Amino acid sequence: MTQPTRPKLALGPVLYFWPRGVLQDFYRSVADTPIDIVYLGETVCSKRRAMRSEDWLELAAMLEQSGKQVVLSTLVLLESGAELGALRRICANGRYPVEANDMAAVNLLAAAGAGFVAGPTVNIYNARTLKLLARQGMTRWVLPVELSSATLSELQAARPPGVETEVFTYGRLPLAHSARCFTARARGVTKDDCGFRCQDYADGLMVSTQEEEPFLVLNGIQTQSARTFSLLDRLDQLQAMKVDVLRISPQSRHTERIIGLFHDCLSGRCTAAGASADLNGMAPMGYCNGYWHGDAGMALHRSG
Amino acid sequence: MELVCPAGNLPSLKAAVDNGADAVYVGFRDQTNARHFAGLNFTARNAGEGVRYAHQHRVKVFVAINTYPQPAGWTQWQAAVDRAAELGVDALIVADIGVMDYAAEQWPDLRLHLSVQGSATNVEALRFYHRNFGIRRAVLPRVLSLNQVRQVMERSPVAIEVFGFGSLCVMVEGRCLLSSYVTGRSPNTYGACSPASAVRWCETANGLETRLNGVLIDRLEANENAGYPTLCKGRYRVGGRVRYAIEEPTSLNTLPILPDLQRAGVAAIKLEGRQRSPAYVAQVTRVMRAALDACARSPDSYRPEPGWNEELAGVSEGVQTTLGPYYRPWQ
């Protein structure tokens, strides 16, 4: 048996609204981690403009100097002409590859003949879609988070040459997007006068059931899972399936340690069981992995 | 503006045709469409009868094949496209790129409409589907304001259809995974949100509890109406208070803004509700037909008749109606 090649590690875009200084400090410390790829940019809400595009490009240059591959991520939900204008500027940046999170970005990047990454909110559910987007210039795709390992296996078997596969392997799952801001709603303010209330919740605002069971997390217009999705204990399977890139989604604490644990497991410095024990306590509401098993996303299947 | 009406079965299709629909939309009895509910939808045989009935009355038939096939189920979606084409329907309503690619290659003369499940909220996304598959019309997700609909219309390469009445999704359609997070089944993968097989109702000392795969969605007091427990319309605890954290159960009603939609150039108004009864279909079709005719005759003096609003309110989810995203009280 040939030794499977080691997947690269990617840090997904920060989904929350962190103050500019906090974000810059965060990426300075990310530069010192063994992460290979860093996705940068605001993907959730176009009103969040604490970081100007020059600020993002400065971070991109700093991370690139530290040996990271930088990808610029685009907005998931585009409604206004202004948002499309900003999208066009990112797609035409000419220096960094772009992660398309909506078909608008796919269209612009394909028309420009630029290679692109299709993010997790571009619906790639079957081989015909995968092949068509590859012909349009897609060089990497991220498996939609609701799809299972069984579906991924079949898509891997049909994958066109030259296309890398990335899997969301750690973090709270982005589940839905709306025109409406649920953080503003919870705080009793309108979207136009939101006062950036989402900045008060570094990891989103918890929604529990009436039985006090943590359920969802509100992050502005985005709704996430309360539980953290983790495939840290499935690294052997991911490697056997020839997955090229593993995505870790940033959280306000422990991200650097989580990157370290993934890296140590991949390089054989620790076992999945040992690393999973170390992870305990780094996800305040516990873990889930049901989607990977073709089950309800919130379910947790134990390994072994 | 064309009136596009829902039909979950043959009696509903006839009710829509008889009450003034310009087009009806239907699905096959499987997970290839986004209203995959027990006992609903058409076999190849009664779809044929439906197409004949509609065409005899000069009403068009659209078939929704608007979920996302995975490799294991691919042939089922392919067969649905072939079946619809062979039935001689007037258009397919599609969401998945692979399905669109197959339909465009195999049946180049068959009209394609982009489903709301295709999740295109802007003109660049529409250009993608137009450029690659020649789609002729798109149904816009129920997240855009009236001004944003106008903006899209100004530069859209395809005709635009919008929702005019019915239950509302507050999340952008085609990219909402809340249902599969809780139940394993989503509109994208299975054609149903918060599927009935996962719903449990239970009378308790705390009131009537509704659960979805065990998760408590809502708790109702004796005097409260129990709507269907769609999970985004449940009451949850957020910031110390129990409330509709995401959305109240309300229905969209665009009667007051039909002239605005007409002036914007909207090609068609769609009514939601393939899962509803033939009586519902007859009623909303009749009201919307009268309203659209009045609006077409004289948009400037058009006013919704009180009787129309009353009739629609009577069949609305949660009894309240709203202009939804078109006018945004929460903006």
Side-chain angles (χ1 to χ4, degrees), chain A residues 132-149:
Chain A
L132 187 131
L133 291 176
R135 287 201 300 276
Q136 305 267 335
M138 182 177 74
T139 56
R140 184 187 301 152
W141 69 294
V142 186
L143 180 74
V145 300
E146 72 167 342
L147 296 183
S148 66
S149 59

Side-chain angles (χ1 to χ4, degrees), chain B residues 181-307:
Chain B
Y181 181 66
V182 176
T183 72
R185 290 168 162 181
S186 71
N188 283 7
T189 56
Y190 181 74
C193 173
S194 310
S197 56
V199 172
R200 295 288 176 274
W201 307 81
C202 188
E203 199 67 66
T204 73
N206 298 319
L208 178 65
E209 293 185 345
T210 56
R211 287 176 189 275
L212 194 63
N213 198 17
V215 175
L216 183 63
I217 300 299
D218 208 350
R219 209 175 247 164
L220 298 139
E221 313 228 340
N223 59 346
E224 290 183 299
N225 278 328
Y228 189 84
T230 306
L231 76 95
C232 62
K233 291 165 186 169
R235 277 181 289 198
Y236 307 108
R237 185 175 293 282
V238 57
R241 280 207 299 148
V242 172
R243 51 178 303 175
Y244 292 109
I246 298 174
E247 176 70 324
E248 282 98 10
T250 54
S251 282
L252 174 70
N253 174 7
T254 58
L255 283 182
I257 59 164
L258 289 181
D260 300 302
L261 295 171
Q262 183 175 298
R263 277 191 282 264
V266 166
I269 297 286
K270 177 171 213 139
L271 308 181
E272 187 275 343
R274 281 194 284 134
Q275 73 283 13
R276 303 289 297 267
S277 68
Y280 163 93
V281 173
Q283 198 165 6
V284 295
T285 302
R286 190 168 59 239
V287 169
M288 200 51 93
R289 176 79 275 154
L292 285 174
D293 288 347
C295 179
R297 272 194 305 274
S298 54
D300 295 331
S301 60
Y302 165 91
R303 293 282 176 280
E305 289 179 17

Side-chain angles (χ1 to χ4, degrees), chain B residues 11-324:
Chain B
S12 289
L13 181 145
K14 290 180 177 172
V17 169
D18 296 348
N19 284 280
D22 296 308
V24 294
Y25 66 103
V26 301
F28 293 124
R29 190 167 284 190
D30 57 27
Q31 57 198 354
T32 61
N33 76 92
R35 290 288 181 278
H36 175 210
F37 299 166
L40 202 70
N41 293 320
F42 289 75
T43 61
R45 192 142 139 229
N46 63 16
E49 196 182 332
V51 171
R52 275 193 299 281
Y53 188 83
H55 282 177
Q56 274 164 13
H57 294 81
R58 297 170 192 277
V59 171
K60 292 179 212 160
V61 179
F62 305 155
V63 174
I65 303 174
N66 58 346
T67 47
Y68 289 83
Q70 294 169 60
W74 172 259
T75 51
Q76 199 181 355
W77 273 256
Q78 196 170 299
V81 169
D82 295 341
R83 195 181 314 139
E86 285 156 7
L87 283 166
V89 303
D90 300 277
L92 298 188
I93 307 171
V94 283
D96 176 68
I97 289 172
V99 171
M100 261 178 257
D101 190 43
Y102 174 78
E105 182 185 288
Q106 205 68 26
W107 305 97
D109 298 330
L110 183 55
R111 236 179 113 92
L112 296 180
H113 293 182
L114 182 68
S115 168
V116 70
Q117 292 297 119
S119 211
T121 56
N122 59 75
V123 70
E124 280 302 335
L126 294 175
R127 282 182 187 142
F128 177 86
Y129 296 107
H130 181 247
R131 181 165 66 81
N132 286 289
F133 315 110
I135 64 155
R136 312 276 285 278
R137 182 189 290 185
V139 186
L140 294 182
R142 285 160 282 186
V143 294
L144 300 180
S145 69
L146 186 56
N147 268 333
Q148 290 169 341
V149 171
R150 284 194 193 105
Q151 273 189 13
V152 170
M153 303 271 331
E154 278 165 20
R155 306 174 74 181
S156 171
V158 301
I160 294 296
E161 177 173 318
V162 299
F163 275 93
F165 182 79
S167 293
L168 265 173
C169 281
V170 68
M171 303 301 182
V172 61
E173 295 95 330
R175 290 184 280 180
C176 179
L177 314 181
L178 291 174
S179 177
S180 63
Y181 181 66
V182 176
T183 72
R185 290 168 162 181
S186 71
N188 283 7
T189 56
Y190 181 74
C193 173
S194 310
S197 56
V199 172
R200 295 288 176 274
W201 307 81
C202 188
E203 199 67 66
T204 73
N206 298 319
L208 178 65
E209 293 185 345
T210 56
R211 287 176 189 275
L212 194 63
N213 198 17
V215 175
L216 183 63
I217 300 299
D218 208 350
R219 209 175 247 164
L220 298 139
E221 313 228 340
N223 59 346
E224 290 183 299
N225 278 328
Y228 189 84
T230 306
L231 76 95
C232 62
K233 291 165 186 169
R235 277 181 289 198
Y236 307 108
R237 185 175 293 282
V238 57
R241 280 207 299 148
V242 172
R243 51 178 303 175
Y244 292 109
I246 298 174
E247 176 70 324
E248 282 98 10
T250 54
S251 282
L252 174 70
N253 174 7
T254 58
L255 283 182
I257 59 164
L258 289 181
D260 300 302
L261 295 171
Q262 183 175 298
R263 277 191 282 264
V266 166
I269 297 286
K270 177 171 213 139
L271 308 181
E272 187 275 343
R274 281 194 284 134
Q275 73 283 13
R276 303 289 297 267
S277 68
Y280 163 93
V281 173
Q283 198 165 6
V284 295
T285 302
R286 190 168 59 239
V287 169
M288 200 51 93
R289 176 79 275 154
L292 285 174
D293 288 347
C295 179
R297 272 194 305 274
S298 54
D300 295 331
S301 60
Y302 165 91
R303 293 282 176 280
E305 289 179 17
W308 298 343
N309 279 321
E310 273 165 39
E311 263 198 82
L312 293 188
V315 296
S316 295
E317 183 187 5
V319 192
Q320 304 173 58
T321 66
T322 161
L323 281 165

